[in-house]
Amino acid sequence: MIVMKFGGTSIGDAAAIRRTISIISKKMRSKPVIVLSACANVTNLLHQTVEYTEQGDKEKSEEIITSLRDRHKNIVDELALGIAAKRPTPDTTDINNIIDKYCNSLWTLSKAHLGGQIPDADKAYMLSMGEYLSSNIVCFMMNALGIKTSLVDARHFMITTPDYMCATANTPEVAKRANSIIEKAFKIADVVITQGFVGVTMEGDPTIMGRGSSDYSASLLGMVLDADRIEIWTDVDGICTADPSIVPEAKGIGKLSYEEAAELARFGAKVLHPLSIEPAATKNIPLYVLNSMNPEAEGTVVLGGSCIFDGVKSISYNENIRVINIYSPKMINTTGFLTKIFSAFEKHGVSVDMISTSEASVSVTVDASASIDPVTAELKRYGNITVDRDKSQVSIIGKNIIGVKGAVAAVFDAVSDSKIYMMSQGSSFLNLSIVVDRPEMVSVIRKLHKTFFENGD
Ligand code: ADP
Ligand code: ASP
Ligand code: MG
C-alpha cells in the first residue's frame, strides 16, 4: 500500500486534477490511498466566510459561498467535457447535488451564526468543506474514467484531541479504525480517497488539525497502515535548498534525513507540515516530496539518517515574528527563573520558537499572530520587557552544521551588513537561526543561498 497526498495546487483546477488522476493511475498496482487537500485557496476563502459571518456581513459571506459553488461546478463541467471526448458523457447530476449539499450547509451555518461567535466545532466543520468538495469531485471523476475508486470519510477514523482548530491525532484510536475501514474499501475499489486536514473527537465533534496539516494526515495514515511509502505531491521539485518563490536558483535536494526535514518544517519551510515527519520516521517509511506539475522530476526522499552527509542542506524562514526580551539582574545566581518565564508563555498558550539566554536576560521569538499582551503583562513582574516587532527568522538547516568547518563564519560573513537581533543554535546541531529586520529577510536568504549553494559565485 502507498499513501499519496495531493496539495491544493495539484487539484486547483480541471487541468491539475487531470494531471493528478494520471499520476494516480500509474500507481494502481500499489494500492494507492489518496489524501486530498482542498482546491487551491479554498480554505483561505472558507476562513474569510467564517470572519464575515462573525462580523455579521451576510452579503460578503454569501458572495464567497456562491463563488465556491460556481468554481467547483465549473471544475466538474470542464472535467466532464474532457471525458466526453473519449467516453460516454458522464451524468454530473449526483456530483452537482453533492456540491450543492455542502455549499447549502455552509450557508445554513453562516446564517445561523451571523454576527455572533461561531462555536469551535461548527467552525471546524465549515473550514473542512474544501476537502469534502475536492475529494468528492476527484472520486466522481476517477469513477467516470473507469477507475474503481472508493471515498472514505476521514472522520470515520481520524480521531483527534478536542482542540478543534489545531487538533492532533489520537494515534492508537486512528490505527484501530483506519486499517479495517481502508481494507474494506479496497474490497470494492482499486483506489481509496480520503480527506486530509479533517478529524473528529471521540465524541463525534468535527475538528481540523491546523493549516497545511494534510501532510500530517497522510504521514499518519501511512504509519498506521504500514505503507511502503508516503508521497507528498506539491508544486515544486521536492524540498529545495531554499523556498524557490524567494530564491529562483534554489535546487531540489535528493535526500534528507527525517531529523533534517522535521527541523526545516519546524523552522518555517512551508513545503511540509511540522508534524508530518514523525509518523513516517516512527515506522521508518520513506517519505517522498514530488512535483505534480513535473512528475518526472526526481524530488526528495526523506529517510533514516545513516546515509546522510553532514552540512547545510537548506535555508528556511519565518517572515513575521516578534522578539520578546526579558532583562532582569535578579536572574543572576538564582534558580527557577526560566521556569517562571516559560510558565507565563504556557499559561497564555503562546508557543516559543527560538530561545537565547545570557546571565541577566532571556530573549525568545514568537509568531507575530500570537496574542502576547497577557504574557508580557505577566513577565513585567520579573524584569524589564521589550518587544522587537517586524522581524524575521532565517535558519540554515543540516546535519551537524555546527561541526562543519566555516559554516558559522560563513553565516556572519553573509549577513555582515545586517543588524542581527538574536542568534540561536539548535540543541541538536541541526540549525543555526538568526533574527533580522523583516525588510532585510529576502536579501539575507539570497546571500546565504549564494554562500552555501552557488559555489561562491
Ligand atoms: P501544497 O498546497 O501542495 O501543500 P504548499 O504551498 O503548502 O503546497 O507548499 C509548497 C510551497 O512551499 C512551495 O510552493 C514553496 O513556495 C514553499 N517552500 C518553502 N520552503 C521550501 C523549500 N525549502 N523547498 C520547497 N518549497 C518550499
Ligand atoms: N486545506 C488546508 C489548508 O489550506 C489543509 C492543507 O492544505 O494541507 O490549510
Ligand atoms: Mg501544504
Side-chain angles (χ1 to χ4, degrees), residues 402-420:
I402 308 300
V404 173
K405 206 171 157 219
V408 179
V411 171
F412 282 117
D413 212 32
V415 296
S416 57
D417 306 337
S418 310
K419 182 164 176 190
I420 298 182

Side-chain angles (χ1 to χ4, degrees), residues 167-435:
T168 42
N170 178 337
T171 310
E173 290 296 332
V174 178
K176 224 193 265 175
R177 290 163 174 75
N179 277 288
S180 56
I181 292 177
I182 303 283
E183 273 307 336
K184 201 169 149 209
F186 271 120
K187 293 223 160 79
I188 51 159
D190 297 323
V191 179
V192 174
I193 295 189
T194 189
Q195 303 82 15
F197 182 55
V198 313
V200 66
T201 64
M202 286 292 268
E203 288 70 38
D205 287 338
T207 61
I208 50 175
M209 300 194 279
R211 294 306 306 267
S213 59
S214 296
D215 303 332
Y216 172 50
S217 307
S219 179
L220 196 91
L221 200 49
M223 177 188 113
V224 301
L225 296 176
D226 258 325
D228 298 318
R229 53 197 267 152
I230 297 161
E231 298 181 353
I232 306 290
W233 289 84
T234 183
D235 60 350
V236 283
D237 287 347
I239 303 178
C240 301
T241 46
D243 183 344
S245 71
I246 289 196
V247 183
E249 296 79 11
K251 294 272 177 322
I253 308 164
K255 256 189 225 164
L256 276 178
S257 69
Y258 293 122
E259 292 78 13
E260 288 172 323
E263 195 80 345
L264 260 175
R266 261 198 302 271
F267 281 82
K270 186 179 158 232
V271 62
L272 285 176
H273 185 274
L275 297 179
S276 63
I277 302 300
E278 206 239 9
T282 308
K283 289 263 181 88
N284 211 14
I285 302 171
L287 181 145
Y288 292 79
V289 180
L290 300 158
N291 189 353
S292 69
M293 320 280 171
N294 182 18
E296 306 310 323
E298 199 190 338
T300 302
V301 57
V302 181
L303 70 191
S306 55
C307 57
I308 302 293
F309 64 91
D310 286 0
V312 180
K313 307 291 166 44
S314 186
I315 299 159
S316 65
Y317 62 93
N318 274 310
E319 188 175 359
N320 194 5
I321 61 152
R322 288 175 186 168
V323 183
I324 304 176
N325 306 293
I326 306 122
Y327 174 77
S328 174
K330 281 189 243 159
M331 189 175 152
I332 301 170
N333 291 331
T334 54
T335 54
F337 195 81
L338 287 178
T339 311
K340 284 183 195 148
I341 287 176
F342 288 113
S343 327
F345 283 94
E346 193 188 351
K347 182 169 150 198
H348 299 287
V350 173
S351 110
V352 165
D353 297 321
M354 287 169 65
I355 304 162
S356 140
T357 57
S358 72
E359 231 189 343
S361 71
V362 183
S363 296
V364 301
T365 65
V366 297
D367 197 82
S369 61
S371 324
I372 56 170
D373 291 350
V375 185
T376 50
E378 186 163 335
L379 290 176
K380 278 185 186 141
R381 282 194 227 147
Y382 309 122
N384 188 25
I385 310 298
T386 57
V387 179
D388 299 320
R389 289 162 203 272
D390 279 324
K391 302 289 171 265
S392 299
Q393 156 248 313
V394 178
S395 307
I396 58 167
I397 310 280
K399 187 176 166 202
N400 197 22
I401 46 174
I402 308 300
V404 173
K405 206 171 157 219
V408 179
V411 171
F412 282 117
D413 212 32
V415 296
S416 57
D417 306 337
S418 310
K419 182 164 176 190
I420 298 182
Y421 290 81
M422 191 174 155
M423 188 181 154
S424 132
Q425 171 206 310
S427 54
S428 45
F429 297 138
L430 279 164
N431 92 68
L432 183 68
S433 298
I434 53 173
V435 174

